[in-house]
Structure formats: structure tokens, C-alpha cells
Amino acid sequence: MKVFITGTDTVVGKTHFTAWLVRALLRAGHDAAGLKPIATGGREDALALQRAMDARLTLDEINPLHFREPAAPLIAAEAEYRTIDFPTLNAAIRDVSARFSHVAVEGVGGWRVPLGRNYEVRDWARELALPVVVVARGAVGTLNHTQLTVESIRAAGVTCAGIVVNAGAEDSPDLDLVLRRNVALLRDLLALPVLEFDRRAEAAGSLPAWLGGK
């Protein structure tokens, strides 16, 4: 199982979920790894994935492209007078991925974040040809954001494997009822598997079959 992890927005918990997924896959006996090929600002996300897999890959294997500016990759790259060579980057991702049975490739920002001129996360995921897992907030507004993201994924001819609704993206005791209703409604509206995930917890229950569980 190899998947691309995207989000309905930035800071929705992609890295926390991806790290949990890698740990859960390893506990289940799978040969698993997590990659963060593009990072802007710090490399904390890549370091979190490295810890999740007990340093089975170097930081540069996990995160081959790093830009100092904490901005969209297009802006961050242009600030350093650089562009991203996607054929080379994608070849490196495939080479590393071939060493593992289960791989989670974490994107950067949301689904439509620009990575280059006329090139977005959407185009990158389509070239990698991996099914996409969408991480979404559990709060009010996520129905709209999630449906728009899934609609764009499907319009791009990419398979959406399922949704992860992150209960820990906002800290409010009033969100529990909203979260449960959102999870149930998203299953109905999108006809996709939906995992309720709490990034404040170390575990999120058993690993579902659509994410590599048994």
C-alpha cells in the first residue's frame, strides 16, 4: 500500500497523522516508511517522520527538498532563485519507495498549493499516480472544504482512498457532536471510508483495512 497524504488546508494535522500511520503499519508487521519530499520553513515534519520509522531513512532521503522561507513552495523556491525539478524528485521518491511495501508520501500544504508556475500539488500527485488520503479538520466548515478537495481530486483523474477527520485540529469541547455528525455525513456524501482521528492521542484505535490494517 502506497498513498499520497494531502490536506484540505495547511496545519490540519497531515504530519501527525502520517507519523501515526507509519508507526501503526510498523506495529502491524509491515515494512513501512513516511516521506516528506518538499518542506518549507523548518524540517520538523520530516524529523517527525524519521522518528516514527526509527531513523530507517536519512533526513535527506525523507526530505530531499527544503526551502528556508515558511511559505508556499513556489514562493519559497523563488525567494532562493530555485525551481523544483519534478522528474528528478519523483524518480527519487520512487527509488526510495521501492524499498518498502508500505509508504506514505506527505504533500505540502493543501491540494491546490502552487509548487511552480502552472504546477500544483494536484499535478504532482497525479504524476506520482498514488491514491490520495485527505486529512481534514473536524470543525464547522470541514464539509465544504472536504467536498471541494475530493471533487478536485476526482476531477484530476486521481483516486481518493478515503478521508481522515482530525479531531485535534482545534481545541474546543463543543466540537465533539459536530465531529461525529461530520464524519457520518462525509461518509454518506462522498461514499468514501472516513477515519475519525485525534492528533492529541498517541493512537486512534485499530488501523482500518483501507489504510493497510487487517
Side-chain angles (χ1 to χ4, degrees):
M1 182 205 74
K2 296 177 183 181
V3 294
F4 185 91
I5 311 293
T6 194
T8 54
D9 198 356
T10 191
V11 198
V12 293
K14 293 191 306 296
T15 299
H16 198 94
F17 168 73
T18 304
W20 172 84
L21 177 60
V22 170
R23 288 193 299 269
L25 288 167
L26 289 170
R27 285 195 300 269
H30 298 298
D31 191 24
L35 305 179
K36 177 75 176 183
I38 303 172
T40 63
R43 300 180 88 180
E44 291 83 1
D45 291 354
L47 286 166
L49 297 184
Q50 188 180 48
R51 289 191 296 271
M53 69 181 95
D54 297 322
R56 302 173 77 201
L57 291 172
T58 68
L59 187 59
D60 286 339
E61 286 175 315
I62 296 167
N63 172 225
L65 280 181
H66 170 237
F67 301 99
R68 293 186 298 273
E69 189 73 22
L74 170 62
I75 296 170
E78 289 185 344
E80 298 179 25
Y81 304 99
R82 296 165 63 191
T83 57
I84 300 173
D85 180 348
F86 279 97
T88 299
L89 176 64
N90 293 347
I93 293 169
R94 293 187 180 105
D95 286 346
V96 174
S97 296
R99 294 154 53 186
F100 300 90
S101 62
H102 291 62
V103 178
V105 179
E106 183 187 338
V108 56
W111 179 247
R112 296 293 306 272
V113 165
L115 305 177
R117 295 294 171 179
N118 302 311
Y119 193 93
E120 303 174 346
V121 169
R122 170 186 60 178
D123 304 296
W124 182 32
R126 184 165 48 202
E127 288 187 358
L128 288 173
L130 297 174
V132 174
V133 174
V134 178
V135 180
R137 290 186 175 89
V140 174
T142 201
L143 296 175
N144 178 62
H145 299 157
T146 306
Q147 287 191 94
L148 287 172
T149 301
V150 172
E151 181 181 90
S152 182
I153 290 169
R154 288 170 167 168
V158 180
T159 299
C160 184
I163 311 296
V164 175
V165 177
N166 184 7
E170 286 86 8
D171 295 317
S172 169
D174 301 326
L175 291 178
D176 290 344
L177 179 60
V178 172
L179 172 67
R180 289 195 299 273
R181 288 179 172 173
N182 282 347
V183 167
L185 190 51
L186 284 171
R187 286 193 184 107
D188 291 341
L189 292 172
L190 298 172
L192 288 170
V194 181
L195 174 67
E196 181 182 333
F197 178 77
D198 190 340
R199 75 175 185 180
R200 296 165 295 190
E202 178 60 25
S206 60
L207 188 63
W210 65 277
L211 286 172
K214 297 177 181 178

